[in-house]
Amino acid sequence: MQDMDQLVQGIVAQLKQKEQVQQPPQKSQSQPKDGIQYPLREHCAQQLKAKSGKPYEQVTYEALIRGEVEKDDLKTHADTLRLQAEIAYRDGKKQFGDNLMRAAEMTAIPDEEVLEIYNLLRPNRTDKKTLLQAAEKVRRDYGANAIAALIESAAQVYEKRGIAKP
């Protein structure tokens, strides 16, 4: 039994050593040169606004109760998403930054059209030509070049994998 106790104590000691060695480095508390960092509401609230253009700080629970908050006051403004994308790019998170830039473009597209595009992008829902037309429409009507490129890429992949209608 004493051998078992020594074994357990040895394993616990090894785990404690590994835990000390494997601690993640502490994040730097220094301010980025561009001044933009998370959380945005703490570091640059004055730059944040709702899709409606209303300043972030005016969208409060109290304003909601008073009836001063509209539907677009509860949606994110494209500029806020672009700020978040800047942080992602700066921190080396290109894919996340690209997603945020596409999200910024999507704010200009009406919700109904976003849902239509979503449905078109589901495998076996439509053909390549329809996807390419949807890409051209968002590029032409909303200047959504990144969204259009994503749809065009999906059209190519769907055709190649046989998951676009003929």
Side-chain angles (χ1 to χ4, degrees):
M1 188 60 112
Q2 187 176 5
D3 289 336
M4 183 64 82
D5 288 340
Q6 288 176 336
L7 179 62
V8 169
Q9 288 174 354
I11 292 171
V12 168
Q14 286 179 352
L15 289 173
K16 284 183 178 179
Q17 283 180 334
K18 282 187 177 182
E19 188 176 286
Q20 290 173 352
V21 171
Q22 293 180 351
Q23 289 295 322
Q26 296 295 318
K27 289 189 175 182
S28 169
Q29 298 299 317
S30 64
Q31 183 83 351
K33 289 179 182 162
D34 59 12
I36 301 168
Q37 67 181 33
Y38 286 122
L40 293 177
R41 72 183 153 98
E42 288 179 20
H43 297 282
C44 55
Q46 70 284 355
Q47 292 177 273
L48 305 179
K49 56 189 169 193
K51 182 177 181 182
S52 65
K54 185 179 286 186
Y56 164 80
E57 294 167 331
Q58 290 180 13
V59 182
T60 64
Y61 178 73
E62 292 78 16
L64 178 68
I65 297 299
R66 290 190 304 265
E68 298 170 357
V69 175
E70 304 290 324
K71 182 174 113 175
D72 279 349
D73 295 336
L74 300 174
K75 294 181 179 181
T76 304
H77 195 281
D79 291 346
T80 300
L81 292 161
R82 287 187 197 102
L83 280 174
Q84 292 175 319
E86 285 180 41
I87 295 169
Y89 288 135
R90 182 191 64 219
D91 292 347
K93 298 175 182 169
K94 183 184 179 322
Q95 283 185 313
F96 186 49
D98 291 347
N99 287 341
L100 289 164
M101 291 303 283
R102 284 190 292 269
E105 286 185 352
M106 286 176 63
T107 64
I109 304 171
D111 294 343
E112 300 77 29
E113 288 188 47
V114 170
L115 289 174
E116 286 175 26
I117 293 166
Y118 171 80
N119 281 323
L120 289 176
L121 287 171
R122 294 173 66 196
N124 298 306
R125 292 293 172 142
T126 193
D127 57 37
K128 181 180 177 182
K129 180 181 176 185
T130 303
L131 285 170
L132 294 176
Q133 288 171 341
E136 179 53 35
K137 182 179 188 327
V138 296
R139 181 177 282 119
R140 178 190 66 239
D141 295 353
Y142 306 107
N145 294 320
I147 296 287
L150 179 74
I151 297 169
E152 290 165 346
S153 175
Q156 301 300 326
V157 169
Y158 287 12
E159 180 182 55
K160 181 178 178 181
R161 292 188 180 172
I163 56 175
K165 285 187 176 179

